[in-house]
Amino acid sequence: MKPGVAHFSLRDLWSCLAVLLLLASPLASQAAPGPNLASVNAAAALTNEDGLLFGKNADRPVPIASLTKVMTALVVLDSGVPLDEWLTFRKRHTPAAANAYTRIRVDSELPRSAVPRIALMSSENFAAHTLARSHPGGLRAFIAAMNAKARGLGLTKTRVVGPPGLSAA
């Protein structure tokens, strides 16, 4: 392992994901008082138990780009589109967020099965955007599918506005 590089087990990743998902949960408002944190938002919960151990502004909607990319990957897998199909990275029709750097070059090609991995492992916004554009029905249909998936998972306060998760809307 490289020094200074974070490494997470799959169990840790799912535990972190569960805590992040609770940020949008109605259970977040039931949190007990806890430590005085400098963080603007925080939530802590035990897996397989209802409620939060601690929450700070846990009901506040916030953009969580990495969690949105997990939703992007779920929608791709649920869609049934062929994972062996090659996707071409086309120039975006709307500008990327100011802090969105990409290593992927326009007109690059990759099999669809590789693109969610890049979106998740590198937090690659261009990869997430390309997956959405190649979805049956295009970007709008993809965003609608992401919101339907969120509702299906019980995320009643979640509203997805784009596959990278950087939009402030």
Side-chain angles (χ1 to χ4, degrees):
M1 291 188 198
K2 294 181 182 179
V5 177
H7 297 276
F8 296 94
S9 71
L10 188 55
R11 178 186 298 267
D12 289 346
L13 179 61
W14 280 113
S15 294
C16 289
L17 181 59
V19 168
L20 291 173
L21 288 173
L22 281 171
L23 287 173
S25 167
L27 299 173
S29 62
Q30 300 172 8
N36 184 12
L37 300 176
S39 305
V40 175
N41 305 301
L46 296 174
T47 55
N48 299 324
E49 290 191 22
D50 291 338
L52 289 179
L53 296 173
F54 171 76
K56 180 179 179 184
N57 297 319
D59 285 327
R60 179 183 292 162
V62 294
I64 304 174
S66 295
L67 187 56
T68 306
K69 288 179 185 80
V70 171
M71 186 70 74
T72 295
L74 288 173
V75 169
V76 169
L77 294 174
D78 285 351
S79 72
V81 293
L83 296 177
D84 59 350
E85 179 181 358
W86 284 76
L87 303 181
T88 303
F89 290 81
R90 302 282 183 216
K91 184 176 177 182
R92 291 178 56 112
H93 66 288
T94 58
N99 62 343
Y101 170 78
T102 183
R103 291 178 212 98
I104 300 172
R105 300 296 165 236
V106 172
D107 294 328
S108 297
E109 294 182 341
L110 284 171
R112 182 179 276 116
S113 62
V115 181
R117 289 183 182 132
I118 292 170
L120 292 167
M121 294 179 70
S122 299
S123 194
E124 178 56 66
N125 301 312
F126 195 19
H129 184 77
T130 297
L131 287 166
R133 283 180 62 171
S134 68
H135 185 74
L139 182 62
R140 287 182 191 214
F142 192 83
I143 293 169
M146 290 177 77
N147 282 302
K149 183 69 174 177
R151 284 189 306 278
L153 291 170
L155 304 176
T156 59
K157 295 183 180 182
T158 297
R159 184 174 144 259
V160 179
V161 296
L166 294 177
S167 300

